[in-house]
Amino acid sequence: MIENTKVLGRIVYNNVFTKEECTKILSSAVNSNEAYVLDKVVNHDIRKTITKEIPLNNDNTWIFNRIFNIVKKVNHKYYNFDIKYLGEVHVLEYQKDHFYDWHIDLGSSIATCSRKISAVVFLSDRNDYEGGELDWITPSSVVEDTFSPSQEQGSMILFPSFMFHKVKPVISGLRHTLVTWTHGDTFR
């Protein structure tokens, strides 16, 4: 039997992207839509967010490659999941009173059942918004976790896609993050 005591770890990488690169990522986002929850249903009791796509093209491969290279290193050192590729990349925009209540990123649909590792890159300067903290509940607790990343611009946090997490409401300003998921064969 192989054991992994680090499977619930959240890993923070600082300075993944520079301030200028964060701005470039934001400018490459297209197709602004209101974010949905399950089955493409908008539900403001669970989530209020704007989502935009980062298309995989010659101008944006550097974003995908940088994230995936870090995810592969973290996976090798901590999780040891069977991962194959980096999935879709989105920019999420949280305006005043926007939030995303408790959820996991792993689901039963074709698009979500193979998610293994979630990645969140903080694109906004932390001084540009108030609130919007990312929080977790771990299986060993029924209260919010004490782990609280600083959410510094350009930093990235990685965690298993099956961990419950939420984004607290933004009190003021504008919070932008990049989100993506690494996929592999389904958990068995």
Side-chain angles (χ1 to χ4, degrees), residues 127-141:
N127 296 316
D128 290 345
Y129 64 96
E130 186 179 349
E133 294 86 1
L134 188 55
D135 282 333
W136 285 267
I137 290 180
T138 60
S140 61
S141 69

Side-chain angles (χ1 to χ4, degrees), residues 150-170:
S150 65
Q151 301 188 173
E152 292 301 315
Q153 185 176 30
S155 67
M156 179 170 63
I157 185 160
L158 303 164
F159 55 94
S161 296
F162 54 72
M163 290 188 73
F164 276 95
H165 58 288
K166 74 175 182 177
V167 177
K168 290 183 177 180
V170 170

Side-chain angles (χ1 to χ4, degrees), residues 2 7 14 16 26 34 67 73 75 84 91 102 109 120 125-126 132 138-139 145 159 173 177-178 188:
I2 298 172
V7 73
N14 292 313
V16 173
L26 284 170
E34 195 163 2
I67 292 170
K73 288 179 193 175
N75 184 56
K84 306 277 191 228
V91 168
W102 293 114
S109 73
V120 177
D125 185 308
R126 191 60 183 109
T138 60
D145 201 348
F159 55 94
T177 57
L178 176 153
R188 6 180 183 170

Side-chain angles (χ1 to χ4, degrees), residues 13-18 21 66-67 70 121 153-156:
Y13 258 73
N14 292 313
N15 305 310
V16 173
F17 295 101
T18 66
E21 289 172 330
R66 188 161 322 157
I67 292 170
I70 292 172
V121 177
Q153 185 176 30
S155 67
M156 179 170 63

Side-chain angles (χ1 to χ4, degrees), residues 37-53:
V37 285
L38 296 174
D39 301 320
K40 300 191 178 189
V41 173
V42 173
N43 183 338
H44 290 159
D45 292 331
I46 298 172
R47 182 181 196 186
K48 190 169 184 184
T49 315
I50 304 296
T51 184
K52 302 173 186 179
E53 300 172 35

Side-chain angles (χ1 to χ4, degrees), residues 22-139:
C22 289
T23 301
K24 189 174 180 180
I25 291 168
L26 284 170
S27 69
S28 66
V30 297
N31 300 332
S32 180
N33 293 297
E34 195 163 2
Y36 55 84
V37 285
L38 296 174
D39 301 320
K40 300 191 178 189
V41 173
V42 173
N43 183 338
H44 290 159
D45 292 331
I46 298 172
R47 182 181 196 186
K48 190 169 184 184
T49 315
I50 304 296
T51 184
K52 302 173 186 179
E53 300 172 35
I54 301 287
L56 178 56
N57 58 36
N58 290 336
D59 295 330
N60 296 330
T61 55
W62 64 276
I63 301 167
F64 289 75
N65 290 339
R66 188 161 322 157
I67 292 170
F68 194 47
N69 285 334
I70 292 172
V71 171
K72 288 188 290 189
K73 288 179 193 175
V74 168
N75 184 56
H76 179 74
K77 186 172 182 179
Y78 294 99
Y79 305 128
N80 293 303
F81 294 154
D82 178 14
I83 60 173
K84 306 277 191 228
Y85 63 93
L86 190 69
E88 67 276 14
V89 176
H90 299 272
V91 168
L92 300 181
E93 179 178 294
Y94 291 84
Q95 302 169 6
K96 183 180 184 305
D97 298 325
H98 282 196
F99 68 99
Y100 195 173
D101 209 352
W102 293 114
H103 68 283
I104 62 173
D105 293 337
L106 183 65
S108 59
S109 73
I110 295 297
T112 62
C113 70
S114 62
R115 289 178 177 174
K116 296 290 185 83
I117 300 172
S118 298
V120 177
V121 177
F122 301 100
L123 298 175
S124 297
D125 185 308
R126 191 60 183 109
N127 296 316
D128 290 345
Y129 64 96
E130 186 179 349
E133 294 86 1
L134 188 55
D135 282 333
W136 285 267
I137 290 180
T138 60

